[in-house]
Amino acid sequence: MKGSFDIPVSTNVQRRYNRWKFYVPVIYDWFLNHNLSWPSLSCRWGPQIDETRDTRKQRLYLAEQTEGIYPNTLVIADCEIVKPRVASEDIKSFCEDSRSRNIKKHKAIIHPGEVNRIREIPDNNNLLVVHTDRPEVLIWDIEAQPARHAIPGAEPSLPNLILVGHTADAQFALATSPSQPYVLSGGKDMNVVLWSLNDQITSLAAEPNYRLGSHYFRYGNYNPFVTPRGIFRGHTNTVEDVQFNPANPQEFCSVGDDSKLMLWDARVGSYPVTKVEDAHREEDIHCVEWNNFNLNYILTGSADTSVHMYDRRNLNDVHGLQNPVYTFQGHDASVLCVQWCPDKESVFGTSSDDGIINIWDYEKVERASPPLGLRQERAPPGLFFRHIGHRYKAIEFQWNPTDPWTIASLSHDCRGRGGGTLQVWRMMDVIYEEVAENEETSIMTELNMFRPCTVGRSLSSIRDLCFSF
């Protein structure tokens, strides 16, 4: 039941959180906290739908995992985002156990099984791809689907399309191509499976419609389905994450519990074209991300608490070294999610079981001059911001693709009146922007007008606060 499986917060984590909360108005341009009704494992941004002088309204996709008490749901919400440098009183007075008025549920779809991952189809704002707790991958047309009320005993909604091809559960490894309606998945069957949504007509002509079994529905319901373009074999344990090459939907990479990073080319065959056998010292690899600007760089995050950045040009080293370009050490527990910033090539974020979301810039690693003050003392090379708002596992986050430097993050903390915490935040631009020494006075004068709590502070002191918790 709601609140019946609350997870206690350690004294150290609570103390760190209390100190962080005090400084939220200083280091964030905007911040909201939204207590969720049920645990959720995935949050994703949708399209912008409205705009005023001070705000933007945007779709936000979430899930509700109800532990079987009520039906699981896929939630389509509206999020009102305050534009940069627009003062917001909410940033000073948010309550951890309340729900933000900036988040409003637009529609709920009763989902057959749990929702473990949500991904959007970039060229079609109406389609969502969902990983559940079964081998099938489900496609939902969220505009065509009727709004449902999650009452006990309600029959699940019928997906608009089913992707079949896995022979065992596929729960977390899911990606969509930014350039084609392609879907990529990995699962416990150790396979990577590729589909094209354009193949729906071919599949329907070849075979009868697919019937979801009794584990989903009480009655015999049929749905159109798509068979794979390819099944790719090479992993020796569960595939934990997959990612497309942003410029070529035929190329993709995968990582798994076998500690392998593999690169594939669907035009070549069903076996990896390149692989790193021991990418994280025999530890599980939970996540992988391909850089949108520099297609040579790939990030991996692991149970060993580290993040590696690989250069695919060096993965076929004749000496078999296959070492990462950089190793980033800034978490105290497993890294669960990595994502490159869509607005700056060298910046990326990482989230972890330690509840922290770190923001990095690999270009800062190469600079000769070290950071100043607390950053020199406490920050690993490349780390320039820490988000401490989650007090338990920071499961997933996403940079907003249309509102620069705005991030939605999610924790599975099961605290208070709900089952998790959704936070939407944007750090102060003075933290990540390069500022010339002769510009500091004018920048701080402008900032003080927008946020009076920064009066008397310098740029370096605001940046240092990110590492004082």
Side-chain angles (χ1 to χ4, degrees), residues 61-76:
Y61 308 126
L62 300 160
E64 294 180 323
Q65 292 199 356
T66 59
E67 303 290 323
I69 301 163
Y70 289 88
N72 296 297
T73 58
L74 177 62
V75 177
I76 298 91

Side-chain angles (χ1 to χ4, degrees), residues 236-294:
T236 56
N237 208 329
T238 299
V239 179
E240 291 283 358
D241 200 12
V242 290
Q243 192 66 232
F244 280 101
N245 178 333
N248 188 340
Q250 301 291 341
E251 297 180 2
F252 40 91
C253 59
S254 61
V255 293
D257 289 345
D258 53 9
S259 197
K260 293 180 174 66
L261 164 64
M262 296 191 177
L263 275 64
W264 314 78
D265 189 331
R267 298 163 298 188
V268 173
S270 59
Y271 293 93
V273 294
T274 307
K275 59 182 175 180
V276 182
E277 289 284 355
D278 190 11
H280 279 268
R281 298 179 304 180
E282 300 184 0
E283 293 283 352
D284 298 354
I285 306 177
H286 296 309
C287 45
V288 64
E289 177 81 346
W290 207 312
N291 193 301
N292 289 301
F293 299 96
N294 187 332

Side-chain angles (χ1 to χ4, degrees), residues 367-393:
R367 291 177 186 167
S369 57
L372 303 174
L374 286 171
R375 284 175 293 150
Q376 182 177 10
E377 209 177 295
R378 302 183 182 181
L383 182 63
F384 69 92
F385 188 84
R386 305 183 85 203
H387 178 67
I388 314 290
H390 297 290
R391 287 171 287 176
Y392 199 60
K393 299 180 179 182

Side-chain angles (χ1 to χ4, degrees), residues 116 275 298 355:
N116 293 323
K275 59 182 175 180
I298 296 172

Side-chain angles (χ1 to χ4, degrees), residues 83 143 200:
K83 291 181 178 179
E143 292 304 317
Q200 177 189 354

Side-chain angles (χ1 to χ4, degrees), residues 279 308-311 321-327:
H308 289 175
M309 187 171 85
Y310 283 96
D311 187 332
L321 297 177
Q322 299 178 319
N323 290 326
V325 179
Y326 299 117
T327 294

